[in-house]
Amino acid sequence: MELSSLATVADVRAALRDGATAVDVCTEFLGRIAARDGDLRAFNHTAAEPALARAAALDRRGPDAPDLPLLGVPIAVKDNICTRGLPTTASSRILAGYVPPYDATVVERLTAAGAVVVGKTNCDEFAMGSTTEHSVTGPTRNPWDPACVPGGSSGGSAAAVAARLAPVALGSDTGGSIRQPAAFCGIVGLKPTYGRVSRYGLLAFASSLDQIGPFGLTVADAAALLQAIAGPDPRDATSAASAVPAFDAAAAEPVRRPTIGVPWAILENGVDAGVASAFEAAVEALRGMGATVVDVPLPHAEYAVPAYYIVAPAEASSNLARYDGVRYAYRAPLDEKDATLGGMYDRTRHDGFGDEVKRRIMLGTYALSAGYYDAYYLKAQQVRTLIRGDYDAAFEKVDAVAVPTTPTTAFRLGERADDPLQLYVGDVFTASANLTGLPAVSVPCGRDDAGLPVGLQLTGRAFDEVTLIGIGAAYEEQAPWWREPPAAGAGIPGGEAPASRDGAAP
Amino acid sequence: MSNPLTRADVDRIARLAHLELTEREAEQFTRQLGDILAYFERLNRIDTAGVAATTHPVTSAPVMRDDEPRPSLPVDDAFGNAPDRGGERLFRVPKVIG
């Protein structure tokens, strides 16, 4: 196999079997990043030297060393996941120059599985956003149309995989931050069940919602990555003791005759025509492969967004209190003579955080402040219980619930920058999985009239990613949208000339 | 609908959050957060009387380990990212007591 045509984990494994070295593979992907990422801006930092050193060490293991599931597979890691010795900034000024003294558990496990970290990807600051525009390094562009956002918050990871700059990537998902950019970039993104994957080393945003998960071009690649990172971790008390099933095997056993629930009532309003028609075609394809499709009511689903935007900022306002100018990276310059401790906190946080993070800290602080707790935080937690009840009732008769991942396809850079509420409402189909803890996957399911990708989201029972992977693999077999790479712009072979790189919205 | 949030609320929350705000930010947040809080009003359509709160999506017994000493982060690593070490093993901050 030509190195220049490598795309998936399976391709990398095949190339290594055919005699390519891990250094060859790593060099190929680093070359793509060097050539194209100046325009795409998927990466905050690339790690060429440590990646090549790591690949060379893998090559030195010799032919008799035990096989590793991700041997020599380059991986991009979202910049809110700690990597020892590599900058980890969460795309925030307040962490500019922060170099973690330890690896996140997921990074340790990927390394043990043979993967090679090639860089840290751009995201919305502290994973707060759905466009990757709220980043101190500037926005990432969508490989399908460089005038559009890649989604977010894990937009850099999604764009990197879609543009074939890395076969797989890690993201984090608090309200849709893996699945929404996967949908906008036409790739697979999976949010595992809360507790399936250790959060140790993930910069905390909302601790009862955050979960790390994989991006891949195919369901099998996402499953292979999940296999490597899943399982209990003594360093994360919320990681679940549940046994880890064979996700990689599940991808090879398509589930062609599942019962799928579709909550048609909540799809009646607010879904763009292009998304609706791609979704309806996907439902037909599911029927065509043997699935039974039934209507399921999710009467509280419409309250997911307001509940989410209370719970997530409340938890964030507490988690982000640690960024105070004392322990990590940035401290605002102060006039020594007049400086006070409180003034140092206030100024450091003012200078170090961007607008969206400030908005959410303010919102969360308000929701938790005296006199408002019951009306907001407690109420939102009760709504979580009702939403989970809706899903539990649905799962008595269906194996998975299907909706479009997002109500729209990717929109233009800058288009929604001044209207936070409009962006929040875009999380309508993704936030429920975080509020309930349930696993959900977004699989590419078509294009709108502008040629932008649409995602099909499947939500499953707690700790039943296996069924989602099986159904996703069966659907992908019918509709292999991933095989068509983005053609427009962003320097992808066959595409048009890349757009300007001034970082401003066109 | 009138803004449920006043400028005084915003100033108070910013103090609680240890967040200095510029005049422009305070004005903007008063409007934007007011819009968002008004949007939250729809939650009052749901009767949640007697509904248990979900604090965490997965309820399992807390995982405890034996209380035995074990190696922790080396001191130099723990201080390695501090903006002002003021010495070998100190976080130096502005004067707290006048």
Side-chain angles (χ1 to χ4, degrees), chain A residues 98-99 194 208 303 305 309-310 325-327 329 331 346-347 349-350 358-359 362 366 379 381-382 385, chain B residues 10 13 17-18 20 22 25 29 32 37 40 42-43 46 48 51-52 54-58 81-83 92:
Chain A
Y98 176 70
V99 180
Y194 183 86
S208 79
Y303 300 105
V305 168
Y309 278 96
I310 293 169
V326 176
R327 288 160 293 169
R331 177 184 292 184
D346 296 5
R347 177 65 57 85
R349 289 160 64 79
H350 172 269
K358 286 177 189 162
R359 242 184 321 267
M362 294 286 290
Y366 180 79
K379 181 87 181 182
Q381 290 183 319
Q382 291 173 312
T385 306
Chain B
V10 165
I13 302 161
H18 271 296
E20 186 179 298
T22 62
E25 287 169 330
F29 288 163
Q32 291 175 336
L37 291 174
F40 291 165
R42 66 189 57 207
L43 289 179
I46 319 173
T48 50
V51 176
T54 295
T55 55
H56 248 68
V58 173
N81 281 287
R92 189 164 75 171

Side-chain angles (χ1 to χ4, degrees), chain A residues 6 37 65 68 114 121 143 160 180 190 206 219 231 247-248 324 335 399 435:
Chain A
L6 292 180
D37 200 53
L68 296 171
T121 54
Q180 185 256 21
L190 190 150
V219 172
F247 300 122
D248 43 8
D324 57 5
D335 178 351
D399 300 308
L435 292 168

Side-chain angles (χ1 to χ4, degrees), chain A residues 59-453:
Chain A
D59 287 333
R60 280 196 300 273
R61 296 179 345 126
D64 298 329
D67 189 25
L68 296 171
L70 297 174
L71 181 66
V73 174
I75 180 165
V77 176
K78 187 177 180 180
D79 204 20
N80 64 347
I81 297 173
C82 284
T83 41
R84 185 186 174 96
L86 277 184
T88 299
T89 70
S91 294
S92 180
R93 173 168 290 122
I94 214 161
L95 282 175
Y98 176 70
V99 180
Y102 65 97
D103 274 328
T105 296
V106 290
V107 173
E108 257 183 26
R109 289 183 178 175
L110 286 170
T111 303
V116 177
V117 175
V118 291
K120 303 299 291 292
T121 54
N122 198 9
C123 55
D124 288 296
E125 185 179 1
F126 284 104
M128 298 179 193
S130 45
T131 63
T132 314
E133 291 173 298
H134 303 294
S135 162
V136 72
T137 61
T140 296
R141 290 167 184 279
N142 190 312
W144 292 86
D145 181 347
C148 289
V149 301
S153 66
S154 316
S157 286
V161 172
R164 277 62 170 170
L165 303 188
V168 282
L170 282 185
S172 65
D173 190 315
T174 305
S177 282
I178 291 173
R179 292 158 287 151
Q180 185 256 21
F184 277 17
C185 291
I187 64 169
V188 176
L190 190 150
K191 183 200 85 79
T193 310
Y194 183 86
R196 177 64 93 186
V197 176
S198 168
R199 294 183 292 113
Y200 179 77
L202 171 67
L203 303 185
F205 161 13
S207 301
S208 79
L209 306 167
D210 294 341
Q211 191 64 186
I212 296 171
F215 287 101
L217 290 171
T218 62
V219 172
D221 280 5
L225 205 54
L226 179 61
Q227 194 74 58
I229 62 176
D233 176 11
R235 293 175 296 191
D236 174 4
T238 64
S239 66
S242 315
V244 178
F247 300 122
D248 43 8
E253 291 165 17
V255 176
R256 298 193 182 90
R257 306 182 65 81
T259 303
I260 306 271
V262 178
W264 291 110
I266 65 167
L267 304 179
E268 277 171 13
N269 296 308
V271 180
D272 277 8
V275 172
S277 60
F279 175 73
E280 282 157 22
V283 171
E284 276 315 303
L286 288 167
R287 276 203 189 96
M289 76 184 195
T292 303
V293 178
V294 301
D295 194 5
V296 288
L298 296 176
H300 299 94
E302 65 175 298
Y303 300 105
V305 168
Y308 174 81
Y309 278 96
I310 293 169
V311 173
E315 295 184 7
S317 70
S318 169
N319 275 325
L320 270 61
R322 75 193 65 184
Y323 303 107
D324 57 5
V326 176
R327 288 160 293 169
Y328 315 105
Y330 182 76
R331 177 184 292 184
L334 299 165
D335 178 351
E336 283 277 333
K337 188 164 59 68
D338 301 326
T340 63
L341 183 64
M344 188 276 284
Y345 292 156
D346 296 5
R347 177 65 57 85
T348 294
R349 289 160 64 79
H350 172 269
D351 293 359
F353 291 135
D355 279 358
E356 182 60 24
V357 171
K358 286 177 189 162
R359 242 184 321 267
R360 298 209 194 181
I361 289 173
M362 294 286 290
L363 194 56
T365 303
Y366 180 79
L368 292 177
S369 63
Y372 296 99
Y373 179 89
D374 285 1
Y376 293 107
Y377 195 59
L378 179 63
K379 181 87 181 182
Q381 290 183 319
Q382 291 173 312
V383 173
R384 286 179 87 163
T385 306
L386 295 173
I387 294 172
R388 177 63 189 260
D390 289 355
Y391 278 91
D392 288 345
F395 289 131
E396 284 177 14
K397 39 178 202 171
V398 304
D399 300 308
V401 172
V403 291
T405 309
T406 56
T408 72
T409 53
F411 41 85
R412 295 177 79 80
L413 283 156
E415 186 181 295
R416 302 187 180 185
D418 294 326
D419 191 350
L421 187 55
Q422 191 191 7
L423 281 172
Y424 297 174
V425 172
D427 296 343
V428 56
F429 299 135
T430 48
S432 287
N434 304 84
L435 292 168
T436 59
L438 298 171
V441 65
S442 180
V443 180
C445 77
R447 315 263 182 262
D448 71 2
D449 288 344
L452 293 168

Side-chain angles (χ1 to χ4, degrees), chain A residues 84 99-102, chain B residues 73-82 85:
Chain A
R84 185 186 174 96
V99 180
Y102 65 97
Chain B
L73 203 59
V75 171
D76 277 342
D77 283 357
F79 283 93
N81 281 287
R85 291 180 66 162

Side-chain angles (χ1 to χ4, degrees), chain B:
Chain B
M1 188 183 295
S2 66
N3 192 337
L5 202 68
T6 66
R7 170 62 190 269
D9 290 329
V10 165
D11 292 340
R12 180 180 59 87
I13 302 161
R15 278 195 302 278
L16 287 173
H18 271 296
L19 201 54
E20 186 179 298
L21 296 182
T22 62
E23 189 61 25
R24 182 194 66 83
E25 287 169 330
E27 293 290 337
Q28 190 187 42
F29 288 163
T30 304
R31 177 173 52 80
Q32 291 175 336
L33 299 179
D35 288 348
I36 294 164
L37 291 174
Y39 174 75
F40 291 165
E41 292 296 316
R42 66 189 57 207
L43 289 179
N44 294 328
R45 295 180 204 155
I46 319 173
D47 180 6
T48 50
V51 176
T54 295
T55 55
H56 248 68
V58 173
T59 49
S60 53
V63 181
M64 308 296 271
R65 67 170 170 85
D66 293 336
D67 186 17
E68 286 167 359
R70 54 169 73 181
S72 59
L73 203 59
V75 171
D76 277 342
D77 283 357
F79 283 93
N81 281 287
D84 187 352
R85 291 180 66 162
E88 280 303 293
R89 297 184 169 194
L90 296 168
F91 294 114
R92 189 164 75 171
V93 298
K95 198 154 61 170
V96 179
I97 301 166

